[in-house]
Structures are given as structure tokens and as C-alpha cells.
Amino acid sequence: MIVPSKAPVLSTEDGLSSLERAARQELLLGLFLPIQNCGWTASTAPRSTTWEFDYNARLAVRADELGFDLTFGLGLWPGKGGLGGNVRFWETSLDPLITVAGLAAITNNILLISTVHVLYGWHPLHLAKFGATLSHMTKGRWGLNIVTGYNPGEFQKFGKQQIEHDVRYDMAAEFTDLMTKLWTINENLTVEGEHWRMTNAFCSPRPSDKERPVIVNAAASPKGLEFAANHCDIIFTTSPVGADIDKALEAFPEHVGMIKNLARDRGREVKVVVNPLIICRDTEKEVKEVYRTIIEHGDHEAMDGIMSSQRSGDNRAWRGHLVEQKMVGGNIQIFGTPEQVVDRCIQIKRTGVDGIHLSFFDFAPELEYFGERVLPLLKETGLRD
């Protein structure tokens, strides 16, 4: 049985939106829900992690109780066998839009974000209506992670041909503009756009928060970052130099500064968030043992499939990662004792990054450990209230 969150409901009398309230934290905390089989780790090493809804619901409830600011999962459309290997990597996954709807009633404060591939047959009116409904279900805590897709095979599953990279972001911009208008105007909307048309379209109810829902994107290319700077509140960025934390820390100041300046040139402010996979234990020896176990049980056929999938499209992110790094998971990796993990968080914050969206090898026990051992130390540093 899933027990609803015991986190106290935050007062809305402060007049802040959900994102504004979360942004008062020095370091935003997110949880990357493992709504796909294998989570982020292509290994048969034993663990509890599963794609099933009840498991992910318990994670979301616990993250809410711990004061995490946001949560979401991937949107995936693999074929039979997933990306391959004995683990059938990512063959099975929950839909992130429907998953969020299921989390609405059992969480209190955490932002619930849905990942949607908006070019796989969606119309702006569909998502405007569904999003407004979810906004009311979550009392203003719903957000949208807009994905354009990069894998030719995924487009083909929907009877479509892959769209050229820059055109995809032009389409996403038009889609977002129209969806936002449907959330804000109180009249029928008739549009003959370059990519979408609508006649007497109307969305009621409007979203329930004081502003439109939070919009997220994980762009990496110049065209993608232009879209994100124009339309998004949170930008997930990948390390441009691979998963090694020391190299990432060197690259982030310039990289993150570039992203924020793109938004400021447009009169906007954005939050930049990164995705570390954390292995944290009482001792460095234990951390190394966990890492060794993951690698020893690694599924190399699955890794071949992962690498092939990333080469098949024109995705600009997740480049430069070594095979072992991809096997363990995470765009960057933070390994160490609680004190060492907190030191890394401090270093990440100093680069200009606003938040971390966490992944784990074994989600449930490691989230609990993070809450017990790491979170109090983050509060001592002032990174968390």
C-alpha cells in the first residue's frame, strides 16, 4: 500500500509560484524517477530498483517528505528488447504524463514534471488541456519537460520521418507559443501557423497556479539552447566533457554562464540543473565495492545498444562518456562518503549550477541514506533550508 506523503502542505499565502518557492533554496534538489527498467545502470548487480508504479510512487512520496523540489522521469519509446542485452535495457517504461497524474494525490509540495515528446503526434490543444487538468490536480505543482526527439526509429514508430534538427526546435517553439496562449487568453484561438493550425480552440480551465506551468528542456545544441532560453524556466544541461566530476567542474562555469547569458539577453532568468548519479556510503572502501560490483555485473551487449542508439541520431548531449561511465549511469558521477558528496555539491553550486537532479544505482535505500546522512550536512552548509 502506498502511504500519501506526510510532508506538511506549504502555505500558498506567500503569493509565490511553486518554482519561485523552490528557487529560494540555494541548491535545488530533484529526483530522477526510474520509471524505466534498469534505471540508469546497465548491470545485473542485485538491487531493488524497478520501473513499477508503486515503487516510483513511494520514491516520490519520500522525496516530497525530505523536501525535494521536483521530480520527473524519462519519456521512452524503445522497441522489443529495448536497447539490448540480457537486461533488455529500457524495454519497459511507464508513461511520464500518466505517472505524474498518479502522483498528484499522494504528494504535497514537490513539483511534478511530465516529459512529453511534443513532435510525436501531439497538438498544442491536447497538451494545453491535459496540462491545465494536471495543474489543478496538483494544485499548481505540474510542469512540462518538452522533448523534440532525436532518434529516427522513434519517429518511425509513429509513422513519421525524422525531422531535421533545427526545424524540430522551430516546431517546438511554435508549439509552446500556442500552448501558452491557450493557457492565458480567454477567447477562442484561430491560428494558421507554419506547423500547426487551429480554429476556435479554447482551453478551460486555465492552469491553477499564478503563472503558467513550469517548462523544462534539456537542450545542448545552439538551436536547442536558443529555444530553451526563450521558453523554459529550468534547463537541464549535460556535462560537455563527460561524466568525470573534476573535468565537469572545470567546464561548468563557462558552459553554465553561456546558458544563463542566452536567457538574460532575452530578458529572462533560468535555473540550470545537472544530473549526477551518486554512490554514497560510510567509507570510500564501500563506495569502491559498489562500483566494482556494478562493473563486474555490467551488461556489455546493452552498452553496445546504448552507444548505437546515441550514434543513430543527431543528439548533441551525452557525448564524451566512457563505456564504464555509461554503464554506471548519470551525466556526471559523484562517489564518496557523505562529507565528500556534500563537498562536491558545494563545488557544483560554485560553478553557477542551480540544482542537481539525482539518480542512484539502487534508488529506494540510497534515497533513504541520502536523506539520513547527506541532507543534514547540506543544511549545515546553507545549501538547503
Side-chain angles (χ1 to χ4, degrees):
M1 182 178 69
I2 302 169
V3 179
S5 175
K6 297 177 182 177
V9 180
L10 296 177
S11 171
T12 58
E13 295 177 359
D14 56 15
L16 299 176
S17 68
S18 296
L19 180 60
E20 289 170 336
R21 195 173 297 111
R24 293 184 298 183
Q25 298 284 351
E26 282 295 309
L27 185 72
L28 293 172
L29 276 184
L31 179 66
F32 222 137
L33 290 177
I35 58 174
Q36 70 282 355
N37 71 301
C38 299
W40 283 98
T41 309
S43 175
T44 59
R47 53 182 162 156
S48 67
T49 300
T50 174
W51 58 267
E52 294 173 336
F53 176 77
D54 284 0
Y55 184 88
N56 281 278
R58 286 191 288 271
L59 291 178
V61 165
R62 188 62 184 130
D64 190 40
E65 293 171 344
L66 291 171
F68 276 55
D69 302 298
L70 59 100
T71 188
F72 70 82
L74 293 172
L76 297 169
W77 300 97
K80 182 177 176 61
L83 297 182
N86 291 327
V87 297
R88 304 170 78 90
F89 193 74
W90 290 1
E91 179 184 56
T92 302
S93 62
L94 297 175
D95 175 75
L97 187 72
I98 304 301
T99 298
V100 159
L103 299 177
I106 58 175
T107 56
N108 292 332
N109 302 312
I110 195 166
L111 272 165
L112 302 172
I113 297 173
S114 300
T115 300
V116 178
H117 288 78
V118 297
L119 304 185
Y120 289 178
W122 284 87
H123 187 279
L125 182 57
H126 281 127
L127 206 43
K129 185 72 167 182
F130 295 169
T133 301
L134 283 165
S135 179
H136 282 268
M137 291 172 66
T138 61
K139 296 181 173 61
R141 294 183 292 120
W142 180 73
L144 173 64
N145 178 27
I146 293 176
V147 182
T148 63
Y150 75 94
N151 189 306
E154 288 193 352
F155 279 92
Q156 291 163 10
K157 289 179 175 67
F158 293 91
K160 300 178 179 295
Q161 293 300 309
Q162 185 185 32
I163 302 164
E164 191 272 326
H165 178 276
D166 286 5
V167 175
R168 295 202 301 269
Y169 283 102
D170 289 336
M171 295 176 71
E174 184 178 313
F175 187 104
T176 306
D177 283 336
L178 293 175
M179 179 177 62
T180 302
K181 285 181 180 177
L182 288 164
W183 282 335
T184 55
I185 66 172
N186 194 30
E187 302 291 340
N188 289 338
L189 182 62
T190 298
V191 172
E192 287 285 335
E194 184 177 355
H195 304 288
W196 279 278
R197 296 187 296 273
M198 57 182 74
T199 302
N200 294 327
F202 185 68
C203 181
S204 180
R206 298 180 185 184
S208 68
D209 210 351
K210 74 169 198 171
E211 298 178 349
R212 61 152 173 75
V214 172
I215 296 179
V216 183
N217 187 253
S221 67
K223 187 69 173 181
L225 287 171
E226 176 186 317
F227 163 78
N230 279 319
H231 296 282
C232 299
D233 308 293
I234 300 175
I235 299 177
F236 276 76
T237 190
T238 56
S239 164
V241 293
D244 181 85
I245 183 63
D246 290 313
K247 293 180 180 178
L249 288 170
E250 291 179 4
F252 276 152
E254 179 180 357
H255 182 65
V256 174
M258 176 270 294
I259 293 172
K260 291 191 173 186
N261 285 334
L262 280 174
R264 286 169 184 154
D265 288 345
R266 293 158 172 79
R268 306 186 67 250
E269 294 289 332
V270 297
K271 297 296 182 183
V272 176
V273 176
V274 298
N275 163 225
L277 183 135
I278 291 180
I279 300 177
C280 186
R281 298 292 188 274
D282 289 344
T283 65
E284 292 183 41
K285 180 181 177 181
E286 291 174 279
V287 171
K288 291 176 181 177
E289 288 175 353
V290 173
Y291 184 87
R292 177 181 52 78
T293 300
I294 293 171
I295 298 301
E296 286 179 352
H297 290 80
D299 191 322
H300 291 276
E301 289 186 15
M303 283 308 309
D304 289 342
I306 294 168
M307 304 289 279
S308 175
S309 174
Q310 292 181 346
R311 288 191 300 266
S312 69
D314 55 11
N315 182 23
R316 309 287 179 90
W318 298 88
R319 306 284 175 156
H321 288 61
L322 303 176
V323 171
E324 282 194 2
Q325 292 171 337
K326 286 182 179 290
M327 186 177 291
V328 175
N331 179 252
I332 57 174
Q333 295 171 342
I334 301 176
F335 304 152
T337 65
E339 293 78 11
Q340 290 170 328
V341 168
V342 170
D343 284 343
R344 289 303 197 186
C345 291
I346 293 170
Q347 293 171 325
I348 288 172
K349 176 64 181 177
R350 287 174 179 165
T351 68
V353 170
D354 297 296
I356 52 177
H357 198 56
L358 302 183
S359 299
F360 300 103
F361 165 63
D362 195 4
F363 274 77
E366 294 187 41
L367 174 62
E368 197 64 40
Y369 183 88
F370 184 91
E372 178 184 339
R373 297 295 310 281
V374 179
L375 195 53
L377 298 178
L378 286 174
K379 291 179 178 180
E380 287 180 12
T381 68
L383 290 178
R384 299 291 299 178
D385 289 343

